[in-house]
Amino acid sequence: MITKIITEEHIQKAKKYVGYADKIVIITHLSPDGDAIGSSLALYHFLQELDKQVNVIIPNAFPDFLKWMKGINDILVYEDFPDIAVELLAAAELIFCLDFNEPKRVGDLAPALLDAPGKKVMIDHHLNPGKFCNVTMSYPEISSTGEMIFRFICRMGYFELINKYCAESIYTAMMTDTGAFTYNSNSPEIYSIIKELLGKGINKDEIYAKVYNNYSPERFRLMGYLLYEKMKIYPEYKTALITLSGEEIKRFNCKKGDTEGFVNIPLSIKDIMFSVFMREDENLIKLSFRSVGDFASNIFASDNFNGGGHLNASGGEFQGKIEEAVSLFEKVLPNYFQ
Ligand code: 5GP
Ligand code: MN
């Protein structure tokens, strides 16, 4: 049995919008991950079954490990075609905001999103949703936005319209936001949904291999280097830190996505319960946080690094040099273990 988590009123209101709208835009967050792309493509395939004129817009490029997904080449990248993206948003009668809670999460697209006259529906699972949508479906207890898309489509009464590509996209979203069902994945309903997706003809083993067994040799050389030379352990705080500088990114010829998942690796070390990865991007330091148990990585992120996210998986950023970010990290870390 799959329970009705999403409020009926929200389902009916969004269903009415879908009924009226012909031009629909789906938009998701900056540096889109598997859940952002998976949930967007799932909704895209579904709305195509309803014969809608639908466009998916993302602020910047998607990672290489999602290249195989059906419909991925139909996605419009704002960084490559800013004018078209802004025009599409302005012309849309309905805009779905997926996997993000605040306009700033779409980066430079935020003003165009806020100015767009179309109805807006948020489907998301991050804490503290902003008030910029006509319908806000925000359920942090659901482990992926992809799972919410499945629930949304079914609750509108359209289960039959979930085709194989839609099902594949939902599965990819659910799988990537739970580390292949290794965290945030104890809800039995996840597996009831997967049963339905398998019934739609997806090959879950193949999807796993396409996403996780598809890395470049450069990624593995970089991983070896980082684990051997750059991983610092703070045993008294059961914490691990890995840093990657801009110079190292160049030296190892890293591409976007090559560092995906690195932050999870130290959690496999006995007793480690908090793992941090810092990467030097163009002009800021991007941080990823992962924890196990009830250590609130998102509070650590928002307290110190202008970030947020989920209890066990969050992120943030730092303006300055990577050494300064490390200093700040080491200064505040003890405060969380008193
Ligand atoms: P990741 O480490 O995979 O980039 O991000 C993990 C989680 O943290 C994601 O759910 C993402 O939404 C959230 N997150 C990442 N970076 C930021 C950030 O700068 N600000 C906020 N509020 N959340 C973030
Ligand atoms: Mn997500």
Side-chain angles (χ1 to χ4, degrees):
M1 255 305 284
I2 300 169
T3 54
K4 291 185 172 181
I5 295 181
I6 305 173
T7 316
E8 184 63 20
E9 184 198 335
H10 287 169
I11 298 282
Q12 291 312 326
K13 205 165 163 189
K15 184 178 179 179
K16 201 176 77 189
Y17 291 159
V18 170
Y20 287 137
D22 187 36
K23 291 184 189 142
I24 303 179
V25 161
I26 298 165
I27 183 170
T28 187
H29 61 78
L30 212 52
S31 301
D33 56 8
D35 188 30
I37 297 291
S39 58
S40 296
L41 287 178
L43 190 59
Y44 170 75
H45 291 304
F46 162 72
L47 292 171
Q48 283 203 322
E49 289 284 332
L50 287 181
D51 287 328
K52 302 293 179 182
Q53 224 179 298
V54 46
N55 283 283
V56 179
I57 298 176
I58 58 179
N60 59 351
F62 54 80
D64 273 2
F65 67 84
L66 299 172
K67 250 187 192 164
W68 59 273
M69 292 186 76
K70 178 81 173 174
I72 196 92
N73 294 320
D74 300 341
I75 293 180
L76 187 99
V77 183
Y78 164 75
E79 263 186 13
D80 299 337
F81 300 100
D83 298 344
I84 303 178
V86 169
E87 270 170 40
L88 284 170
L89 271 173
E93 293 150 280
L94 175 58
I95 300 169
F96 279 100
C97 300
L98 302 190
D99 202 40
F100 68 95
N101 56 351
E102 285 282 4
K104 68 169 189 186
R105 296 282 293 139
V106 298
D108 293 343
L109 264 169
L113 173 62
L114 290 171
D115 288 349
K119 297 285 186 212
K120 297 182 187 99
V121 174
M122 181 199 295
I123 303 183
D124 181 44
H125 65 143
H126 294 91
L127 291 170
N128 310 321
K131 291 193 179 74
F132 63 99
C133 291
N134 303 82
V135 175
T136 302
M137 298 185 208
S138 170
Y139 292 88
E141 69 270 34
I142 296 182
S143 60
S144 64
T145 300
E147 178 181 336
M148 291 187 64
I149 296 294
F150 179 86
R151 291 172 178 278
F152 173 54
I153 295 173
C154 293
R155 289 281 300 286
M156 288 191 296
Y158 291 130
F159 174 78
E160 299 307 322
L161 294 187
I162 296 180
N163 61 27
K164 183 181 164 207
Y165 298 124
C166 176
E168 260 181 13
S169 306
I170 292 171
Y171 186 79
T172 304
M174 294 173 67
M175 180 185 80
T176 52
D177 249 21
T178 57
F181 308 104
T182 59
Y183 50 81
N184 289 337
S185 55
N186 282 328
S187 157
E189 298 198 357
I190 289 176
Y191 305 93
S192 304
I193 293 172
I194 293 174
K195 177 174 175 285
E196 299 300 333
L197 298 176
L198 288 166
K200 296 284 183 179
I202 69 162
N203 182 333
K204 67 180 261 306
D205 302 346
E206 205 173 278
I207 293 173
Y208 179 94
K210 281 176 179 165
V211 170
Y212 293 112
N213 300 344
N214 190 23
Y215 290 113
S216 65
E218 286 76 18
R219 170 181 160 97
F220 278 85
R221 293 190 201 289
L222 174 67
M223 192 194 297
Y225 164 75
L226 290 178
L227 294 179
Y228 189 68
E229 298 211 11
K230 301 294 302 285
M231 182 174 67
K232 198 165 169 186
I233 304 282
Y234 305 84
E236 64 276 46
Y237 307 121
K238 301 182 175 175
T239 292
L241 168 68
I242 298 176
T243 59
L244 176 63
S245 70
E247 182 274 316
E248 289 162 331
I249 290 176
K250 277 209 197 86
R251 174 145 54 99
F252 283 87
N253 195 17
C254 275
K255 286 194 310 292
K256 208 169 172 66
D258 276 349
T259 61
E260 181 81 23
F262 280 3
V263 64
N264 294 305
I265 299 172
L267 294 179
S268 306
I269 300 170
K270 184 168 156 49
D271 290 335
I272 294 294
M273 41 71 69
F274 185 36
S275 172
V276 182
F277 183 74
M278 295 186 190
R279 190 188 63 215
E280 189 174 14
D281 280 356
E282 274 107 73
N283 42 21
L284 86 163
I285 311 298
K286 185 72 203 152
L287 296 97
S288 284
F289 302 98
R290 296 292 184 274
S291 65
V292 288
D294 52 14
F295 185 82
S297 77
N298 51 352
I299 293 180
F300 189 91
S302 62
D303 282 355
N304 305 295
F305 292 100
N306 193 31
H310 314 282
L311 183 78
N312 296 134
S314 59
E317 51 193 48
F318 178 82
Q319 299 283 348
K321 292 191 176 26
I322 200 151
E323 300 78 24
E324 294 165 344
V326 173
S327 294
L328 172 63
F329 171 75
E330 291 183 342
K331 190 177 121 207
V332 299
L333 185 63
N335 300 340
Y336 292 80
F337 294 89
Q338 277 158 4

